[in-house]
Amino acid sequence: MENKYSVAISCRSDLGYLEYDENTKMVNIVLANEEAKKRVDDFLHTDLTIQIPHETLHDFTTVTIKPLENVDSLELALTRLWETTEVHVDWSRPVDYVKNGIRSLKDL
């Protein structure tokens, strides 16, 4: 069974997306800006030590995650993506819209 997670991303005016396959733990990053694409790839292949809140914004626990271990870890890592890579996760942009737009540009 295929188990993929996709989300839209952008870097300045470049729209793209990343697609994660939880079965293989592989990520495909589609972004025209090659430098930004490499920063995202490096970020997702590095263990992250981050603080996560609990019941209040004053109650944090430090955890280390492997971003590509599972979808939950990936989503948590993506909340910190902008800080390191300057690539924005477009949580509200429909990823199929972005995928179809990129395919249309390739057909030109």
Side-chain angles (χ1 to χ4, degrees):
M1 178 175 89
E2 190 171 293
N3 194 11
K4 292 197 176 179
Y5 172 88
S6 298
V7 67
I9 58 175
S10 62
C11 182
R12 297 181 191 93
S13 62
D14 293 331
L15 290 179
Y17 62 94
L18 64 83
E19 195 167 60
Y20 171 69
D21 185 327
E22 191 168 21
N23 295 328
T24 63
K25 304 203 183 310
M26 301 289 290
V27 66
N28 178 36
I29 304 160
V30 178
L31 191 62
N33 183 319
E34 289 296 324
E35 183 181 317
K37 182 177 174 178
K38 180 171 180 359
R39 288 193 308 262
V40 172
D41 190 58
D42 290 346
F43 177 83
L44 293 175
H45 284 90
T46 303
D47 291 358
L48 301 174
T49 300
I50 58 177
Q51 290 195 340
I52 56 171
H54 291 285
E55 293 182 26
T56 71
L57 291 178
H58 300 286
D59 180 22
F60 287 86
T61 300
T62 301
V63 297
T64 300
I65 62 168
K66 295 178 183 298
L68 299 179
E69 186 65 29
N70 54 49
V71 171
D72 290 338
S73 294
L74 175 65
E75 287 180 332
L76 186 56
L78 291 176
T79 66
R80 291 4 187 239
L81 184 69
W82 172 258
E83 297 169 356
T84 305
T85 67
E86 297 182 8
V87 173
H88 177 73
V89 178
D90 293 329
W91 298 105
S92 63
R93 187 183 305 265
V95 72
D96 288 338
Y97 165 82
V98 176
K99 288 179 180 181
N100 289 336
I102 290 172
R103 284 188 206 116
S104 296
L105 289 174
K106 289 180 180 178
D107 292 340
L108 294 178

